[in-house]
Amino acid sequence: HEPHSWNLKQVRNTEISSETLIIRRADAKPLTILGMNVEWLRAVDGFRIELSQEALNDGSVKISVKALDPLPEVNKGFYGKVVLTTNVEEEPTIKIDLLGVIQLPRKGLR
Protein backbone atom coordinates (compact mmCIF):
# COMPACT_ATOMS: atom_id res chain seq x y z
CA HIS A 1 0.00 0.00 0.00
CA GLU A 2 1.10 3.52 -0.62
CA PRO A 3 1.42 5.87 1.09
CA HIS A 4 2.52 4.14 4.28
CA SER A 5 0.57 6.59 6.41
CA TRP A 6 -2.79 8.25 5.96
CA ASN A 7 -2.94 11.93 6.86
CA LEU A 8 -6.49 13.25 7.18
CA LYS A 9 -4.97 16.73 7.59
CA GLN A 10 -7.56 19.04 9.15
CA VAL A 11 -10.88 17.53 10.20
CA ARG A 12 -13.31 20.45 10.40
CA ASN A 13 -16.72 18.80 10.04
CA THR A 14 -18.54 15.49 9.86
CA GLU A 15 -18.49 15.14 6.05
CA ILE A 16 -16.59 12.37 4.29
CA SER A 17 -12.93 13.36 4.12
CA SER A 18 -11.45 14.17 0.73
CA GLU A 19 -8.35 12.23 1.86
CA THR A 20 -8.75 8.60 0.78
CA LEU A 21 -6.46 5.59 0.80
CA ILE A 22 -6.08 3.12 -2.10
CA ILE A 23 -4.94 -0.41 -1.23
CA ARG A 24 -3.91 -2.91 -3.92
CA ARG A 25 -2.17 -6.23 -4.04
CA ALA A 26 1.38 -6.34 -5.42
CA ASP A 27 0.45 -9.32 -7.62
CA ALA A 28 -2.47 -7.34 -9.15
CA LYS A 29 -5.08 -9.88 -8.02
CA PRO A 30 -8.33 -8.47 -6.63
CA LEU A 31 -8.12 -7.47 -2.98
CA THR A 32 -10.87 -8.13 -0.49
CA ILE A 33 -10.97 -6.36 2.85
CA LEU A 34 -12.75 -8.53 5.37
CA GLY A 35 -12.62 -6.13 8.31
CA MET A 36 -11.50 -2.61 9.26
CA ASN A 37 -11.01 -0.88 12.59
CA VAL A 38 -8.89 1.81 14.24
CA GLU A 39 -6.51 1.32 17.16
CA TRP A 40 -6.05 4.74 18.76
CA LEU A 41 -2.58 5.50 20.10
CA ARG A 42 -3.30 9.21 20.75
CA ALA A 43 -7.06 9.61 20.85
CA VAL A 44 -9.17 12.73 21.25
CA ASP A 45 -12.00 12.22 23.75
CA GLY A 46 -15.30 12.00 21.89
CA PHE A 47 -13.74 11.77 18.41
CA ARG A 48 -15.17 8.86 16.44
CA ILE A 49 -14.76 7.92 12.80
CA GLU A 50 -16.44 5.55 10.38
CA LEU A 51 -14.43 3.71 7.72
CA SER A 52 -15.98 2.60 4.43
CA GLN A 53 -14.62 0.78 1.42
CA GLU A 54 -15.27 0.71 -2.29
CA ALA A 55 -13.97 -1.99 -4.66
CA LEU A 56 -12.43 -0.42 -7.77
CA ASN A 57 -12.39 -1.89 -11.29
CA ASP A 58 -8.65 -2.63 -11.16
CA GLY A 59 -9.04 -4.91 -8.11
CA SER A 60 -7.87 -2.32 -5.60
CA VAL A 61 -9.95 -0.96 -2.73
CA LYS A 62 -10.55 2.71 -1.86
CA ILE A 63 -10.92 3.42 1.87
CA SER A 64 -12.80 6.55 2.96
CA VAL A 65 -13.34 8.03 6.40
CA LYS A 66 -16.04 10.18 7.95
CA ALA A 67 -15.93 11.86 11.36
CA LEU A 68 -19.12 11.20 13.32
CA ASP A 69 -21.31 13.69 15.16
CA PRO A 70 -20.72 15.30 17.52
CA LEU A 71 -17.25 16.56 16.62
CA PRO A 72 -15.31 17.39 19.82
CA GLU A 73 -15.02 21.11 20.60
CA VAL A 74 -11.20 21.06 20.70
CA ASN A 75 -8.33 21.76 18.35
CA LYS A 76 -6.15 18.72 18.88
CA GLY A 77 -4.07 16.16 16.97
CA PHE A 78 -4.88 12.45 16.82
CA TYR A 79 -2.84 9.38 15.90
CA GLY A 80 -3.67 5.72 15.49
CA LYS A 81 -3.46 2.70 13.24
CA VAL A 82 -6.03 1.59 10.68
CA VAL A 83 -6.08 -2.20 10.91
CA LEU A 84 -7.26 -4.02 7.78
CA THR A 85 -7.99 -7.73 7.65
CA THR A 86 -7.50 -8.96 4.06
CA ASN A 87 -7.85 -12.09 1.94
CA VAL A 88 -4.06 -12.22 1.36
CA GLU A 89 -2.56 -15.29 3.05
CA GLU A 90 0.97 -13.86 3.18
CA GLU A 91 -0.20 -10.62 4.86
CA PRO A 92 -3.70 -11.06 6.30
CA THR A 93 -3.36 -7.98 8.53
CA ILE A 94 -2.20 -4.57 7.35
CA LYS A 95 -1.64 -1.67 9.77
CA ILE A 96 -1.48 1.87 8.39
CA ASP A 97 -0.65 4.96 10.43
CA LEU A 98 -3.60 7.37 10.66
CA LEU A 99 -3.05 10.96 11.72
CA GLY A 100 -4.57 14.38 11.55
CA VAL A 101 -5.88 17.24 13.62
CA ILE A 102 -9.34 18.39 14.64
CA GLN A 103 -9.41 22.02 13.54
CA LEU A 104 -12.60 23.81 14.44
CA PRO A 105 -13.68 26.63 12.12
CA ARG A 106 -12.61 30.01 13.45
CA LYS A 107 -15.31 32.13 14.95
CA GLY A 108 -15.99 35.59 13.49
CA LEU A 109 -13.74 38.48 14.42
CA ARG A 110 -14.65 40.22 17.63
Side-chain angles (χ1 to χ4, degrees):
H1 60 87
E2 285 185 21
H4 296 288
S5 65
W6 189 9
N7 188 344
L8 299 181
K9 299 182 180 156
Q10 295 180 344
V11 176
R12 296 175 185 246
N13 54 45
T14 55
E15 296 173 1
I16 293 177
S17 173
S18 61
E19 304 298 326
T20 60
L21 186 67
I22 306 268
I23 306 290
R24 64 178 46 88
R25 289 179 55 147
D27 60 10
K29 292 180 183 175
L31 177 66
T32 302
I33 295 181
L34 307 171
M36 301 184 292
N37 69 309
V38 177
E39 294 175 354
W40 292 110
L41 302 172
R42 187 172 69 223
V44 174
D45 286 342
F47 181 58
R48 300 173 302 126
I49 62 171
E50 178 180 86
L51 299 169
S52 59
Q53 63 175 302
E54 176 187 349
L56 302 178
N57 292 337
D58 65 359
S60 61
V61 177
K62 179 168 81 170
I63 311 289
S64 300
V65 65
K66 176 182 179 180
L68 299 176
D69 272 327
L71 199 60
E73 294 284 326
V74 296
N75 292 331
K76 190 171 182 182
F78 55 86
Y79 176 72
K81 302 263 184 190
V82 174
V83 181
L84 306 174
T85 305
T86 74
N87 64 332
V88 181
E89 283 184 30
E90 305 80 34
E91 192 175 14
T93 302
I94 299 171
K95 291 187 177 188
I96 301 162
D97 291 340
L98 176 72
L99 61 144
V101 64
I102 297 170
Q103 186 70 49
L104 297 177
R106 293 185 185 182
K107 296 193 165 108
L109 299 175
R110 298 175 194 190

